Amino acid sequence: MLVNTDLHIHSCFSMATSKDMVINNIAPEAKLKGLQLVGTGDALHPEWLEIIENSTNYTGDGIYSTDDCDFVLTTEVEGEKKIHHLILIPTIEIARELADKLVSINKNKDGRPRTKMNGAEIMDLAKEYDCLVGPAHAFTPWTGMYKSFDSVYDCYGRKPDFLELGLSADTNMADRIEELHDIPFLSNSDAHSPWPHRLGREFNQIELEDISFSSLQNAIKNNKIKANYGLIPNLGKYHMTACTKCYKLVDPVLAKENKMKCPCGGRIKKGVDYRISEIATWDKPHHPDFRPPYIHLMPLAEIISMVYDKGVTTKMVQTKWRALIDNIGNEIDILIEASLEKIAEVDSNVSPAIEAFRNKNIRISPGGGGKYGQISLDGDIKKREELKQVKSLTLDNF
């Protein structure tokens, strides 16, 4: 069976996360999105584990279920050098034992525990309990593994179970690095709110024998991920090298010459695009035979927002989003499978936008410095971006 999975989210107990991130909100929104299996996030936090226990039924083999969704226990841990690691955990009992053994700086205060343990120590602890572990959003400049290491083996000492790509990278980018050729890639949302323009904005389609931790573990270890879905990397907020204050794109070489300082007073952050070019083996991707396709998607509400030039959370956009869901089906099916004619029957303005996205007939102003990229269906954004790039190449032109 093919199962849509998002294995990295956060609960209401994580910093800068919506108070609405509770099971009773996440589960129905995941169903509307089209996800069947969702990571709980924050599974080392005692209060969150209590909410999971009280809001779900344990159906066996690591799965905690509601009427709308199945959950598997996951957590993100911040280790040495502020690197983030994603761990998939078999049961609540094991999660509690892990929490007791993890030497945490902010124990029980934040859904994402912080520890001084390095990647190898975190992996050893996870493996002691038969967990799956790998780097979270591996290329991002603040907390990704590759910000501090040139090799995944320098971080862990051995091969991780997977590597999470993050919003600013995709398979074509990561498969330029030879050492990753025997490591499965995950694409997850890292959602901080339960709404479908965040939850499942990146997800995996995995072939499972059944919905269970054992089946998920087997699928990841034996390359049964059939597709990765996610944002076009240019839309990621750390894709290009840019200032974190004024968000202007800066040539990476020039940025380093100026000690990553922007004339506006802000700090310039190295983009994922450039970081991968520094450690890449090849200029173009070399995909191993088992690597599944990476399919670029954009959340439906953001497409509607773009078409009508209204905010994603406005009543107008949400009403139109709901009409499409009620008349056609879940969001993933609308974005990937639904006929354009059927979509047009509900919203004739949105149908051409989905068609343009499917056909890659779009323009993107890339993100960087902490600001998401922008998308357009016309050529104006390309002209603006070309002008912006020229002005960004010398710091005198700021």
Side-chain angles (χ1 to χ4, degrees):
M1 60 191 297
L2 290 177
V3 178
N4 294 331
T5 68
D6 181 358
L7 299 172
H8 182 180
I9 70 170
H10 288 279
S11 75
C12 58
F13 294 101
S14 275
M15 186 182 301
T17 301
S18 169
K19 67 181 185 305
D20 295 316
M21 281 299 267
V22 293
I23 297 294
N24 291 338
N25 289 329
I26 298 168
E29 296 299 329
K31 184 176 182 179
L32 293 175
K33 185 73 178 189
L35 299 170
Q36 289 91 40
L37 181 62
V38 178
T40 61
D42 299 354
L44 301 185
H45 193 282
E47 292 179 64
W48 182 230
L49 288 177
E50 287 183 13
I51 290 175
I52 294 169
E53 284 185 310
N54 294 331
S55 304
T56 66
N57 297 310
Y58 183 58
T59 57
D61 201 348
I63 301 300
Y64 299 81
S65 302
T66 70
D67 292 337
D68 296 306
C69 185
D70 293 318
F71 290 89
V72 62
L73 297 173
T74 63
T75 190
E76 184 182 45
V77 173
E78 182 177 295
E80 184 185 53
K81 301 180 185 290
K82 296 185 177 180
I83 293 171
H84 287 188
H85 310 269
L86 179 62
I87 305 174
L88 281 56
I89 305 170
T91 65
I92 280 181
E93 291 73 25
I94 288 176
R96 290 194 168 111
E97 288 190 43
L98 275 176
D100 288 339
K101 286 196 173 184
L102 186 75
V103 182
S104 178
I105 299 168
N106 59 340
K107 196 172 184 68
N108 302 340
K109 293 181 180 179
D110 194 300
R112 183 197 296 112
R114 299 199 320 271
T115 176
K116 293 182 179 179
M117 297 170 69
N118 62 37
E121 292 169 328
I122 291 170
M123 176 174 280
D124 287 344
L125 179 59
K127 288 301 180 183
E128 182 181 338
Y129 291 94
D130 200 27
C131 299
L132 295 171
V133 60
H137 39 73
F139 302 102
T140 53
W142 293 105
T143 56
M145 182 269 301
Y146 277 114
K147 79 175 176 66
S148 298
F149 295 99
D150 289 338
S151 170
V152 68
Y153 296 96
D154 291 339
C155 178
Y156 294 107
R158 52 179 161 152
K159 186 177 81 171
D161 294 303
F162 57 82
L163 177 138
E164 186 183 67
L165 293 166
L167 304 184
S168 295
D170 65 5
T171 298
N172 282 336
M173 298 173 68
D175 269 340
R176 293 172 56 199
I177 303 169
E178 186 175 15
E179 71 170 10
L180 301 181
H181 270 206
D182 60 347
I183 298 176
F185 294 158
L186 293 180
S187 46
N188 302 310
S189 70
D190 197 2
H192 285 213
S193 67
W195 318 126
H197 65 285
R198 293 289 183 248
L199 187 67
R201 59 185 167 179
E202 298 207 344
F203 67 95
N204 315 275
Q205 193 170 75
I206 304 179
E207 183 181 337
L208 300 178
E209 293 180 3
D210 53 42
I211 295 183
S212 65
F213 183 86
S214 297
S215 182
L216 178 63
Q217 185 179 49
N218 177 69
I220 291 174
K221 287 186 174 182
N222 292 285
N223 302 315
K224 294 183 179 180
I225 300 170
K226 295 303 178 182
N228 297 108
Y229 292 85
L231 299 179
I232 298 174
N234 291 17
L235 293 172
K237 59 184 180 179
Y238 296 111
H239 181 73
M240 300 291 284
T241 300
C243 175
T244 58
K245 184 177 180 181
C246 71
Y247 304 118
K248 288 208 174 185
L249 307 184
V250 184
D251 179 86
V253 175
L254 186 63
K256 287 199 289 186
E257 289 176 356
N258 286 270
K259 299 181 179 179
M260 307 305 282
K261 294 180 180 178
C262 179
C264 77
R267 181 181 180 186
I268 298 170
K269 263 297 176 183
K270 185 187 296 183
V272 170
D273 178 70
Y274 185 68
R275 178 57 181 146
I276 288 178
S277 75
E278 290 182 318
I279 57 177
T281 313
W282 305 288
D283 292 333
K284 294 183 179 180
H286 287 56
H287 301 301
D289 291 340
F290 73 85
R291 188 75 72 211
Y294 192 105
I295 300 166
H296 295 127
L297 290 180
M298 184 178 185
L300 180 58
E302 293 191 6
I303 293 176
I304 298 169
S305 171
M306 176 184 65
V307 168
Y308 289 100
D309 196 24
K310 299 289 184 181
V312 172
T313 59
T314 60
K315 183 177 180 179
M316 176 186 180
V317 168
Q318 291 301 310
T319 299
K320 290 184 176 295
W321 176 85
R322 190 73 206 204
L324 286 161
I325 298 296
D326 289 344
N327 285 281
I328 300 176
N330 69 67
E331 179 173 319
I332 290 172
D333 283 347
I334 291 170
L335 293 171
I336 300 171
E337 303 290 348
S339 72
L340 296 170
E341 292 77 12
K342 193 169 185 179
I343 296 171
E345 289 175 4
V346 181
D347 195 316
S348 60
N349 293 317
V350 169
S351 179
I354 291 177
E355 180 179 20
F357 209 88
R358 288 179 182 178
N359 295 335
K360 301 180 181 180
N361 188 24
I362 53 178
R363 304 289 187 185
I364 296 175
S365 175
K371 182 179 180 181
Y372 287 106
Q374 295 178 313
I375 197 166
S376 174
L377 300 177
D378 57 44
D380 291 342
I381 199 165
K382 182 179 181 182
K383 294 174 183 177
R384 290 197 300 272
E385 186 53 38
E386 287 174 348
L387 183 62
K388 180 180 179 183
Q389 289 276 20
V390 170
K391 287 188 175 180
S392 303
L393 292 177
T394 60
L395 293 175
D396 292 337
N397 288 334
F398 274 78

